[in-house]
Amino acid sequence: MNAPLSTHASVPRPGPADQGGTATLPPGPKAGPLSQTVAFHRDPLGYLAHQREEFGDVFTLRLLTMRPLFVVAEPAAVEALLDSDPTRAHAGAARRGILPFASPRSVFGGDGEAHRSARERIAAAMSEQVIDRRRSEMVEIAHRHASQWPRGRPFRLLSRVRTLCDEIFVRLVLGVRDEKIAVSLTEAIGRMLRTPGNPPVSLPGKGDGLAGELGQKLFEQRQTAVVRELWRAIEDRRADPSDEIDVLGCMVDASPALGNEEIVDELMSLLMAAQEPPSIALTWLLDRLAREPQLAQRFCAEPQGEMADAVVRETLRLRPPASGILRRLRRPMEAGQWLLPLGATVLAPSTLVHRDPRTFPDPDSFQVGRWLGDEAPSGPYFPFGGGARRCVGEPLAHAEIETVVPTILELRNLDPISPRPEQMVQRATVLVPKRSLLTRAGL
Ligand code: HEM
């Protein structure tokens, strides 16, 4: 779907950016927070496109999890926001507002010095050079998983791919070598983050009243097994150090030293960031390539080639796994003709910005050609975010795409049930296929 850009966008509004600081804020839908939340989660792209048509490139949503949430789709403001952490904005505080379980001392939920040192601690283990050494093991894991998927009957591709990615993460990135711990940790992570179906709103947490207390309890219960297994993995590594560069090694060798509790706390947030987006990306790619066998052939022939790269870019443009980037402003920020106030939580939605006809002509059509040749699109494109908060797992995501996707396509004949790609729905901060991509798989 392609909503035209509003003519309202160019009409000057009484905003502080041109009036020296009045209290007027960008407009937004009048509906109450519950109905805004449900509508946004059911059809994020349609809902955001409708608001942009109505209010222009900058508007205000009131969601159950975030009131108000300023949505910015104006290209220059999006670029500025991408680069705003840590001096002008913080990502961790904004993420914790929506995902109250993210730890303020982690890469994902931390800010300032806490964020910088947490990121530095795991940088070596997440580097392209180290991740690339794991490619053949990724192929083995993908092969084993895909050969066990059901034959002939429909199944949810996203759930299967998620389990596969969990195992890659536990064995190859965390570096859990003990077989028993690796198996039970992978299972426990799957149970912890599994949500039954696709709830129309994200789970509440601390600070969300009674529902939040219940959400927090439920999450703590689900966490128990993961905490126990992570603890065992840390003890195991302390007792038997390894020369391999992996996340467990980086954590137990950290200086100043970290206790088990601190390590578990950081790893929990890393797991939350690491689980969903790569499995969603792989699932959409598999869906696209299952529908276009000739493209699949070219992708598998050269998964690190220019054409495969263009397929990945175009898939992540139309189906970005993360719904955008979030920042909490540390100083007022201009966005179009608005001046957003200090403390505002701002979302730059990739869903919408990636379909902006000013940057991507004929934005709703899948065209790998726009990434080939000399003239790449010039406006914001940010499936992995940007600036100091750009995704730390990007090399891992690319290695998974380039190893797991061809392995599956060469082994199984995927046949998505829905005649058209499933609609995207919002779950917490990610966008998932509505029915988790129901598919059949032949031999
Ligand atoms: C295709 C797969 C993936 C996509 C599309 C994706 C997307 C993103 C996005 C949009 C952000 C926010 C960036 C920002 O705010 O500017 C992010 C952050 C993050 N991602 Fe990923 N991600 C993917 C895979 C992974 C993997 C495999 C890991 C594993 C470790 C991971 C770990 C993280 C972490 C820890 C952060 C926080 C980084 C920081 O704030 O410094 N991601 N990711």
Side-chain angles (χ1 to χ4, degrees):
M1 54 118 328
N2 174 18
L5 286 175
S6 168
T7 47
H8 297 201
S10 58
V11 176
R13 289 168 188 276
D18 52 14
Q19 295 204 348
T22 71
T24 315
L25 293 174
K30 295 274 175 286
L34 179 61
S35 62
Q36 288 197 34
T37 307
V38 171
F40 173 59
H41 282 71
R42 278 206 178 126
D43 178 13
L45 175 58
Y47 189 69
L48 291 174
H50 180 74
Q51 307 316 325
R52 183 183 62 186
E53 201 178 333
E54 184 94 355
F55 303 111
D57 274 335
V58 183
F59 52 87
T60 307
L61 295 184
R62 287 171 203 284
L63 304 180
L64 289 176
T65 44
M66 189 56 68
R67 273 169 268 177
L69 176 66
F70 297 103
V71 181
V72 169
E74 199 273 320
V78 172
E79 300 280 14
L81 199 65
L82 279 163
D83 220 15
S84 59
D85 186 293
T87 45
R88 288 170 286 126
H90 276 157
R95 292 172 188 161
R96 293 199 309 277
I98 300 220
L99 293 170
F101 311 111
S103 162
R105 52 165 301 123
S106 67
V107 183
F108 188 68
D111 284 313
E113 183 49 31
H115 166 258
R116 202 194 53 75
S117 48
R119 190 161 172 138
E120 213 171 271
R121 262 197 288 283
I122 57 164
M126 303 305 298
S127 71
E128 196 177 328
Q129 211 186 11
V130 166
I131 293 293
D132 276 354
R133 289 189 220 144
R134 306 280 182 221
R135 283 177 179 249
S136 59
E137 290 163 280
M138 289 182 197
V139 169
E140 277 170 35
I141 293 175
H143 197 281
R144 175 160 45 76
H145 277 253
S147 44
Q148 289 163 7
W149 290 352
R151 281 165 213 280
R153 73 174 165 82
F155 62 93
R156 293 182 197 281
L157 185 61
L158 177 60
S159 316
R160 303 282 171 162
V161 174
R162 200 185 284 149
T163 312
L164 193 170
C165 289
D166 287 346
E167 184 170 339
I168 289 181
F169 190 79
V170 165
R171 290 183 192 270
L172 311 183
V173 182
L174 274 183
V176 178
R177 303 278 177 245
D178 179 280
E179 186 57 25
K180 270 197 187 148
I181 303 177
V183 170
S184 32
L185 180 55
T186 306
E187 282 175 9
I189 294 170
R191 281 196 302 273
M192 174 177 75
L193 297 171
R194 193 167 295 138
T195 35
N198 284 316
V201 295
S202 44
L203 289 178
K206 244 186 216 157
D208 292 331
L210 185 61
E213 296 293 316
L214 290 173
Q216 177 76 19
K217 280 227 156 57
L218 180 71
F219 191 70
E220 276 166 11
Q221 260 175 16
R222 287 195 187 180
Q223 267 189 336
T224 311
V226 181
V227 170
R228 188 187 59 231
E229 296 307 323
L230 282 175
W231 194 281
R232 284 176 67 198
I234 297 162
E235 291 283 300
D236 189 56
R237 177 59 65 92
R238 290 200 198 276
D240 184 13
S242 146
D243 287 340
E244 294 284 356
I245 303 175
D246 51 35
V247 170
L248 271 179
C250 292
M251 291 293 196
V252 302
D253 292 340
S255 164
L258 299 173
N260 286 10
E261 223 159 286
E262 291 165 305
I263 298 181
V264 168
D265 186 41
E266 284 194 34
L267 291 181
M268 280 303 211
S269 301
L270 187 62
L271 283 173
M272 282 183 222
Q275 201 206 26
E276 299 255 52
S279 42
I280 298 168
L282 292 175
T283 299
W284 283 125
L285 273 161
L286 289 166
D287 180 63
R288 168 64 56 185
L289 294 170
R291 292 172 194 277
E292 298 199 31
Q294 280 183 344
L295 202 58
Q297 249 177 15
R298 296 181 71 181
F299 187 98
C300 294
E302 220 185 327
Q304 285 173 267
E306 206 188 348
M307 173 55 110
D309 181 60
V311 172
V312 174
R313 282 173 188 271
E314 188 64 350
T315 305
L316 296 183
R317 181 180 75 79
L318 289 170
R319 308 270 160 174
S323 56
I325 60 141
L326 279 166
R327 300 287 185 262
R328 176 144 315 153
L329 301 186
R330 303 186 69 207
R331 53 177 83 154
M333 179 191 149
E334 273 190 38
Q337 70 265 41
W338 300 100
L339 189 70
L340 305 179
L342 166 88
T345 304
V346 186
L347 168 73
S350 36
T351 4
L352 201 56
V353 179
H354 284 184
R355 293 186 189 229
D356 187 330
R358 290 168 290 191
T359 306
F360 303 101
D362 195 6
D364 296 322
S365 72
F366 183 88
Q367 292 177 15
V368 288
R370 62 175 100 238
W371 301 103
L372 299 167
D374 297 336
E375 280 199 27
S378 58
Y381 169 74
F382 51 103
F384 292 98
R389 306 308 292 247
R390 191 177 172 109
C391 176
V392 76
E394 193 175 345
L396 172 60
H398 282 296
E400 289 181 332
I401 288 168
E402 289 156 18
T403 55
V404 173
V405 170
T407 305
I408 293 174
L409 290 174
E410 280 162 8
L411 190 69
R412 305 299 302 268
N413 189 7
L414 297 181
D415 179 16
I417 303 290
S418 164
R420 287 153 48 90
E422 287 179 17
Q423 188 185 314
M424 288 181 280
V425 295
Q426 177 94 20
R427 203 168 54 202
T429 56
V430 291
L431 297 159
V432 294
K434 189 170 183 180
R435 301 166 77 198
S436 300
L437 228 142
L438 269 183
T439 191
R440 283 196 192 83
L443 286 176

